[in-house]
């Protein structure tokens, strides 16, 4: 009998060996191709260790297994796998542990996603890959309550607010205009981003200067121990990133360079005779971003960064029949230099001090046969901010800080008009010089207390005091209270409600033309624009990987700018008002499995008031829906589908008179047809010699739809016409990314 038992155990063991699957495990640093050697891997009750290449090969019998990975300096990661009778390749990524950046927050362990969305760098990268233009702001279009001006514009509208009601920050530095060419692309490079925190409403007292939303971008800190880099290419641009260790375990330097390349491609085509030489060039932009992070000790970290964003375009058109010419030139250079010190002063105190200097310099030139305009501008800005987090007891977290913001508007311009008649021998030329020079100061303080009243109930209350001054005029102050209530109904369901007042300086310069051709600044006569926000939402986990959430929001506007002057004067008043309200619904499958994504729907209602009465603005979109879906086919192979569906934008119709002229009908009284955009992308791993990467291809506007974008008057045909979004047909896109 004993011999029989021994034989049976032998046969079972032999059978398991014969049916065992080969499992290949690779451990890497998150968002990089860098391997982690000597990482500890626990599979059930057995322990293993990766080799010098960060790899481990084991044989496992078919079944379910839990794998835990640990490495010094990295966060632990635990995954579950299903082993079958074949080869299984697994890539496990570990996040670098952050010592100083871990604040003293103990009151709330996780931030509820109602009125808030955090998107990590890896997700941002995938979202940007799902759009025609790989851009961070473009990726936000797939979130609820967000609309845009079309595929080729990165400007966004949040919950019925205008495009200038948003403030964007990068590493806590405010950026007044984070776009190239007024909105074609944002300046944010997906390769340099650690995460994006998006607040469409109800944001805390630490944020200001925004009536509708916050886009808070956090850049990568890099790695102190490994060199790595990547090169990303598409039909539109080349994008490179390098991480360079400086002092082991203490400091590193990250460098990113990004530029469009179709202008260079056209020049090469001209040399080869494949493209007719022209005096016009396509718009181009490029950027250089550097960041140095040095850990002074276990409690202090110093960060130095320099960013430079340049855009330019030259265009010339000549009408052969009339000999009339038209040309314009645009150049803009935005550079930002900043220093930031983060300190864990004690177990209860965390402090961050920031000083930044930026300048936007540029030139705008228009030259035609009978008209010319030149504008030179310089906009230097200085920003100082200090933020402190204090946890006096476990149930309270107090955040407070102060800020000072100086902005100089220095603009000079020249208008030239040329009047000609056949019977006048010499043309008459009239020149008008203009100038605008103003200093704007904005400062203030904020205080916020997050109080965990009970294990289920949390209250966040506080306020912000903003101080506003222009030139030598008196200081104006604005108090903005904020309140948020959070209640965990059970382990799966959370309720949130909020209220707050928000102020923002208008982007427009209030000015009046003087007799000498200069512009008199009248901005001190205006209050900061205001929105009062309140809303309530519910989020519920249908299961651990399926999240449902819905939110009602409302914004009431007061003190909005209205231009009551006749051109060329701009005389604004604070007599504008309005409201925006809506309901958002989102069903999301969280990451962790072979597929994830979300489905959203927004029902909204927006009205504004001007000198002519109430009206609905062009961005009043009654219905909006988005879809994002990613399916992991196998190792590094995935399929991505994204879609935007919304009500058409509003427009002002043109009414034809009997003499052939046109007049405007009721303001924004008509709608364009519905907008539908579907993009499909597939990525496939590639290996080139010692390099690895992915190859991407897909279709934008996969439904081959001609989407209406705007309604305008065509001066050449003397008829109104519809302008369409790009592309107007199914468009094939290819790209690649290499790691080294």
């Amino acid at each position: 009998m004993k011999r029989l038992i021994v034989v049976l155990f032998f046969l079972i063991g032999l059978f398991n060996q014969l049916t065992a699957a080969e499992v290949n495990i690779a451990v890497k640093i998150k968002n990089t191709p860098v391997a982690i050697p000597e990482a500890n891997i626990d599979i059930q009750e057995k322990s293993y260790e990766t080799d010098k290449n960060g790899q481990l090969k084991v044989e496992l019998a078919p079944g379910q297994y839990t794998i835990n990975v640990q490495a010094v300096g990295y966060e632990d990661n635990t995954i579950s796998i299903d082993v079958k009778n074949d080869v299984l390749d697994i890539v496990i990524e570990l996040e670098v542990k952050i010592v100083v950046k871990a604040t003293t927050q103990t009151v709330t362990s996780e931030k509820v996603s109602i009125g808030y969305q955090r998107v990590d760098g890896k997700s941002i990268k995938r979202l940007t890959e799902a759009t025609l233009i790989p851009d961070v702001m473009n990726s936000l279009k797939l979130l609820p309550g967000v609309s845009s001006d079309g595929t080729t514009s990165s400007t966004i509208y949040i919950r019925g607010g205008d495009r200038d009601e948003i403030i964007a920050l990068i590493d806590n530095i405010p950026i007044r205009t984070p776009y190239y060419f007024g909105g074609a692309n944002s300046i944010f490079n997906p390769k340099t981003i650690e995460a994006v925190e998006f607040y469409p409403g109800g944001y805390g007292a630490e944020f200001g200067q925004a009536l509708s939303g916050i886009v808070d971008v956090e850049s990568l800190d890099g790695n102190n121990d490994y060199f790595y880099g990547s090169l990303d290419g598409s039909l539109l641009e080349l994008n490179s990133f390098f991480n360079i260790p400086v002092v082991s375990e203490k400091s590193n330097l990250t460098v990113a360079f990004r530029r469009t390349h179709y202008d260079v491609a056209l020049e090469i085509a001209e040399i080869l005779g494949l493209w007719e030489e022209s005096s016009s060039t396509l718009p181009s932009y490029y950027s250089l971003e550097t960041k140095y992070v040095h850990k002074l000790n276990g409690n202090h970290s110093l960060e130095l960064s320099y960013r430079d964003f340049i855009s330019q375009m030259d265009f010339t058109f000549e009408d052969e029949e009339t000999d009339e010419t038209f040309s314009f030139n645009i150049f803009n250079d935005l550079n930002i230099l900043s220093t930031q010190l983060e300190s864990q002063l004690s177990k209860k105190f965390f402090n961050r001090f920031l000083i930044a200097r930026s300048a936007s310099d540029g030139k705008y030139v228009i030259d035609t046969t009978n008209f010319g305009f030149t504008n030179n501008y310089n906009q230097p800005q200085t920003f100082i901010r200090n933020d402190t987090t204090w946890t006096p007891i476990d149930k309270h977290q107090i955040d407070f800080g102060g800020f000072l913001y100086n902005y100089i508007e220095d603009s000079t311009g020249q208008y030239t008009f040329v009047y000609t008649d056949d019977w006048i021998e010499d043309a008459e030329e009239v020149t008008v010089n203009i100038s605008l020079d103003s200093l704007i100061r904005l400062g203030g303080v904020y205080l916020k207390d997050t109080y965990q009243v009970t294990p289920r109930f949390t209250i966040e209350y506080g306020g912000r005091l903003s101080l506003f001054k222009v030139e030598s005029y008196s200081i104006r102050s604005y108090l903005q209270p904020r309140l948020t209530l959070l209640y965990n109904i059970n382990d799966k369901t959370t309720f949130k409600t909020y209220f707050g007042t928000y102020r923002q300086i208008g982007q427009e310069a209030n000015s009046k033309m003087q007799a000498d051709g200069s512009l008199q600044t009248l901005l001190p006569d205006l209050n900061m624009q205001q929105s009062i926000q309140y809303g309530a939402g519910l989020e519920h986990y249908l299961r651990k990987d399926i999240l449902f959430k819905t939110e009602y929001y409302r914004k009431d506007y007061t003190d909005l700018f209205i231009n009551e002057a006749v051109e060329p004067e701009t005389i604004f008043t604070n007599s504008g008002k309005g409201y925006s309200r809506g309901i958002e619904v989102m069903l999301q499958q969280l990451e962790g499995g072979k597929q994830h994504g979300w489905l959203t729907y927004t029902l909204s209602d927006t009205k504004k008031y001007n000198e002519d009465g109430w009206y609905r603005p062009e961005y009043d979109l009654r219905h909006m829906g988005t879809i994002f879906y990613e399916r992991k086919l196998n190792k590094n192979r995935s399929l991505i589908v994204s879609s935007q569906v919304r009500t058409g934008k509003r427009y002002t119709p043109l009414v034809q008179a009997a003499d052939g002229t046109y007049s405007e009908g009721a303001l924004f009284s008509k709608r364009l047809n519905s907008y539908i955009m579907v993009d499909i992308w597939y990525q496939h791993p590639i290996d080139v010699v010692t390099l690895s990467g992915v190859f991407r291809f897909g279709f934008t506007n996969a439904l081959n739809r001609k989407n209406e974008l705007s309604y305008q008057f065509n001066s050449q045909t003397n008829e109104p016409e519809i302008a369409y979004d790009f592309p107007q047909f199914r468009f094939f896109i290819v790209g690649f990314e290499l790691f080294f």
Side-chain angles (χ1 to χ4, degrees), residues 403-423:
F403 59 94
L404 178 63
Y405 179 62
N406 278 5
Y407 171 71
I408 300 176
E409 178 78 44
D410 183 7
S411 179
T412 60
Q414 184 180 81
Y415 290 92
T416 302
F417 303 87
V418 180
Y419 299 94
T420 59
D421 282 300
D422 294 338
W423 54 273

Side-chain angles (χ1 to χ4, degrees), residues 41 137 145 168 295 311 342 394 415 651:
I41 300 179
M137 301 296 280
K295 185 166 58 177
S311 57
E342 295 184 338
D394 290 341
Y415 290 92
Y651 68 92

Side-chain angles (χ1 to χ4, degrees), residues 115 144-146 157-161 200-202 212 498 532-537 550-557 579-585 601-606 619-622 624:
V146 181
Y157 305 84
I158 299 177
R159 292 181 172 178
S212 287
Y498 59 85
I532 301 175
Q533 300 183 21
Y534 46 93
T550 182
E551 182 179 352
Y552 168 81
Y553 67 86
R554 179 172 177 117
K555 289 183 290 188
D556 290 325
Y557 294 96
Y579 71 82
S580 179
R581 59 187 178 181
I583 298 175
E584 296 174 353
V585 179
Y601 170 73
T602 302
L603 175 65
S604 66
D605 175 33
T606 303
Y619 45 85
D620 170 49
L621 307 178
R622 184 58 51 91
M624 294 185 292

Side-chain angles (χ1 to χ4, degrees), residues 240-252:
S240 60
F241 176 84
F242 304 92
N243 177 90
I244 307 169
V246 179
V247 180
S248 180
E249 300 183 357
K250 284 192 174 187
S251 63
N252 69 83

Side-chain angles (χ1 to χ4, degrees), residues 296-395:
L296 302 175
N297 52 47
N299 297 324
H300 303 276
S301 177
L302 179 66
E303 176 185 304
L304 305 173
S305 67
Y306 175 76
R307 300 174 171 93
D308 197 8
F309 309 95
I310 297 176
S311 57
Q312 59 185 9
M313 180 170 60
D314 298 299
F315 179 81
T316 301
F317 172 77
E318 183 175 353
D319 192 324
E320 296 181 354
E321 296 183 357
T322 62
D323 290 330
E324 294 184 350
T325 60
F326 173 83
S327 67
F328 66 85
N329 172 267
I330 301 174
F331 176 84
N332 183 75
D333 183 4
L334 170 63
N335 56 85
I336 307 170
L337 179 64
S338 68
T339 301
Q340 188 165 260
L341 177 65
E342 295 184 338
S343 304
Q344 194 76 50
L345 302 175
S346 69
K347 292 183 178 181
K348 297 181 180 294
F349 278 95
F350 173 83
N351 191 82
R352 179 176 62 234
F353 175 77
L354 166 68
I355 181 169
R357 173 75 172 177
S358 68
S360 182
D361 304 294
K363 187 176 184 179
Y364 186 84
V365 179
I366 297 178
D367 188 19
T368 70
T369 304
N370 297 316
F371 170 74
F373 171 65
T374 301
N375 181 34
N376 297 282
Y377 58 87
N378 178 36
Q379 299 168 342
Q381 303 171 58
T382 303
F383 182 73
I384 302 174
R385 177 171 180 147
N386 192 86
D387 300 273
T388 302
T389 297
W390 175 39
T391 309
I393 58 177
D394 290 341
K395 292 186 176 182

